[in-house]
């Protein structure tokens, strides 16, 4: 268990207490030796390490704390998590636990009572990485006011619909519906084997969690976005990482109708993207991807499509998809949405899902996007 912590003396007790009370799904406490906890106290000036040392005396699990001062270039959330997870990996190797799992959460988060058990169960079912579902701490959410809460509820409703659209258009056997589409450092578990295979956590200042999931998928590992692996995290507006979640929440608290994240796009655009991703993945899995089957539909020239097909056959589907989304004028188009746009998009997503739920499984596995949605104009460019 790897927990990066920077000046978290006030919140680390709740984080550790949640880990101390881990249980199986029948309610029995987990064995004390099932997991160890490593707190990486970096660049702290508030006594975080000392607080952890005191709390460790009452913990059923072994708790160790590593104190370091990261250089200015590395003093960020991404590098802190990487260092924490690398230390956890080294500990597993030292103990010769080569089939071990590295779990990570945040020092200002509280995992659910079955978080460890549910994460390990998903790994046992075949996942190489488990991304849990993260929500804000309820009382802290309420304190942010009704406008902020209303925005969050709208976004959550829409993102749930988006996740189902992708699950039906681009089904992944290892990540079945119900699932979600976020990989957050507040709730990740990854096998030591997979972690080593990709060279560890990508060294980026922010967004290291999503970068990890992407690197794993590009390498052919299975990432499960589990709804039964849950965490509540702080909703504070004075975060430790510049450009992180706290900065985003602060902006939305000041301006409740500020634009949504880039990946929240109109429902028809979501469906178009998901349909093509599923269709092209099936082509790739069935044989080597040939560009003649899809180039024209996505606005690519033959040379562009040939180069992308070669990339796909050489580097794998996920890397191909990322580059295709950049090159295609059809897939690359993005329309910014605001929370005030979401009721209309939720309604449209519902219409799309009612159609998708009626499509037989054997048809959805073989159909091209145009066959799945024959209604003309559904995917024409539109304003939000």
């Amino acid at each position: 268990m790897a927990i990066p912590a920077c000046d978290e003396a006030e919140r680390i007790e709740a984080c550790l207490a949640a880990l101390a009370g881990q249980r199986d799904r029948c309610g029995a406490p987990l064995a004390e030796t099932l997991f160890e906890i490593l707190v990486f106290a970096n660049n702290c000036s508030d006594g975080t390490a000392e607080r952890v040392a005191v709390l460790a005396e009452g913990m059923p699990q072994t708790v160790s704390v590593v104190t370091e001062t990261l250089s200015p270039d590395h003093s960020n959330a991404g590098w802190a998590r990487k260092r924490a997870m690398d230390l956890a990996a080294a500990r597993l190797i030292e103990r010769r636990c080569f089939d071990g799992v590295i779990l990570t959460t945040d020092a200002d988060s509280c995992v659910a009572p079955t978080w460890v058990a549910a994460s390990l169960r998903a790994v046992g079912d075949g996942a190489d990485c488990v991304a849990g579902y993260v929500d804000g701490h309820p009382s802290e959410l309420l304190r942010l006011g009704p406008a902020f809460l209303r925005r969050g509820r709208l976004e959550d409703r829409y993102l749930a619909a988006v996740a189902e659209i992708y699950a039906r258009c681009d089904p992944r056997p290892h990540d079945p519906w119900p699932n979600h589409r976020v990989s957050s450092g507040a709730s990740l578990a990854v096998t030591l084997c997979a972690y080593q295979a990709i060279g560890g956590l990508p060294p980026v200042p922010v967004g290291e969690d999503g970068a990890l999931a992407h690197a794993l998928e590009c390498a052919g590992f299975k990432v499960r976005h589990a709804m039964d692996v849950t965490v509540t995290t702080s909703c504070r507006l004075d975060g430790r990482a510049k450009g992180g979640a706290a900065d985003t929440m602060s902006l939305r608290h000041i301006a409740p109708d500020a634009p949504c994240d880039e990946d929240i796009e109109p429902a028809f655009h979501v469906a178009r993207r998901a349909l093509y991703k599923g269709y092209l993945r099936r082509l790739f899995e069935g044989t080597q991807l040939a560009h003649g089957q899809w180039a024209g539909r996505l606005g690519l020239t033959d040379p562009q499509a040939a180069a992308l097909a070669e990339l796909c056959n050489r580097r794998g589907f996920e890397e191909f998809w990322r580059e295709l989304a950049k090159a295609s004028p059809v897939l690359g188009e993005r329309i910014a949405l605001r929370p005030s746009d979401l009721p209309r998009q939720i309604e449209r997503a519902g219409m799309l899902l009612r159609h998708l739920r009626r499509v037989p499984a054997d048809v959805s596995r073989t159909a091209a996007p145009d066959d799945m949605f024959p209604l003309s104009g559904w995917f024409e460019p539109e304003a939000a």
Side-chain angles (χ1 to χ4, degrees):
M1 178 80 59
I3 306 173
C6 177
D7 286 341
E8 294 290 1
E10 291 184 5
R11 294 176 181 264
I12 195 68
E13 181 175 1
C15 174
L16 293 179
L19 291 168
Q22 288 297 290
R23 300 176 179 275
D24 65 21
R25 57 179 157 182
C26 297
L30 297 182
E32 296 176 358
T33 56
L34 181 63
F35 65 94
E36 296 182 8
I37 301 169
L38 185 150
V39 177
F40 178 59
N42 65 98
N43 302 70
C44 295
S45 59
D46 69 343
T48 295
E50 292 78 7
R51 182 63 178 149
V52 172
V54 172
L55 294 168
E57 296 178 2
M59 293 283 291
Q61 301 88 6
T62 297
V63 179
S64 58
V65 58
V66 176
T67 303
E68 288 185 10
T69 300
L70 297 176
S71 67
D73 289 345
H74 292 168
S75 181
N76 52 63
W79 273 99
R81 191 179 309 281
K82 176 175 176 58
R83 180 66 175 138
M85 294 182 73
D86 287 350
L87 287 167
R91 176 66 174 153
L92 287 172
I93 294 169
E94 176 188 333
R95 295 183 58 196
R96 304 188 66 80
C97 298
F98 300 116
D99 60 348
V101 178
I102 303 165
L103 297 100
T104 186
T105 187
D106 291 331
D108 63 350
S109 299
C110 293
V111 302
T114 58
W115 182 74
V116 170
S119 296
L120 296 182
R121 186 165 60 249
V123 170
D125 290 340
D128 301 295
C129 176
V130 185
Y133 186 80
V134 181
D135 210 345
H137 192 283
S139 62
E140 292 187 18
L141 277 174
L142 284 176
R143 285 198 293 268
L144 292 175
F148 188 94
L149 188 61
R150 186 163 49 250
R151 174 188 177 127
R153 288 173 60 82
L154 279 172
E155 289 190 343
D156 287 348
R157 283 184 62 196
Y158 188 55
L159 287 172
V162 168
E164 185 177 357
I165 288 172
Y166 267 95
R168 293 185 180 279
C169 295
D170 181 28
R172 314 299 308 283
H174 63 271
D175 196 16
W177 176 255
N179 61 10
H180 61 93
R181 292 177 50 77
V182 177
S183 299
S184 169
S187 180
L188 285 175
V190 59
T191 65
L192 175 63
C193 176
Y195 189 76
Q196 289 183 298
I198 63 167
L201 190 72
V204 294
V206 293
E208 77 286 350
D209 35 23
L212 173 69
H214 179 72
L216 289 167
E217 289 184 326
C218 284
F221 291 105
K222 298 174 181 177
V223 180
R224 170 69 172 134
H225 295 85
M227 295 299 299
D228 63 340
V229 179
T230 59
V231 173
T232 58
T233 195
S234 166
C235 299
R236 63 187 177 192
L237 305 181
D238 57 339
R240 305 294 184 261
K242 184 178 181 180
D247 285 353
T248 299
M249 286 194 293
S250 180
L251 171 62
R252 294 176 177 182
H253 186 247
I254 296 169
D257 203 40
C260 302
D261 292 341
E262 186 185 60
D263 59 347
I264 298 182
E265 56 181 335
F268 291 170
H269 291 211
V270 168
R272 177 175 59 197
R273 195 179 303 277
L275 282 165
Y276 273 108
K277 189 171 187 180
Y279 172 63
L280 292 172
R281 192 191 301 276
R282 291 191 294 272
L283 290 181
F284 173 66
E285 291 174 348
T287 183
Q288 285 201 324
L289 194 63
H291 68 276
Q293 298 160 298
W294 46 269
R297 293 176 179 178
L298 296 179
L300 300 173
T301 65
D302 282 347
Q304 282 180 306
L308 285 166
E310 194 275 332
L311 173 69
C312 186
N313 298 325
R314 179 167 48 87
R315 300 277 298 275
F317 181 80
E318 293 297 334
E319 192 66 26
F320 154 80
W321 178 257
R322 172 178 279 193
E323 295 304 315
L324 173 63
K326 295 177 185 176
S328 167
V330 175
L331 297 177
E333 178 189 21
R334 293 281 185 178
I335 293 178
L337 292 180
R338 294 178 179 273
S340 53
D341 300 317
L342 291 182
R344 180 186 183 194
Q345 298 305 325
I346 290 170
E347 181 181 349
R348 289 188 166 190
M351 179 179 68
L352 290 164
L353 284 170
R354 286 191 292 274
H355 177 84
L356 287 168
R357 290 165 185 159
R358 291 195 298 266
V359 176
D362 57 336
V363 173
S364 65
R365 284 194 298 266
T366 59
D370 292 344
D371 298 326
M372 290 278 282
F373 284 100
L375 301 180
S376 62
W378 273 36
F379 301 124
E380 293 302 317
E382 60 159 344

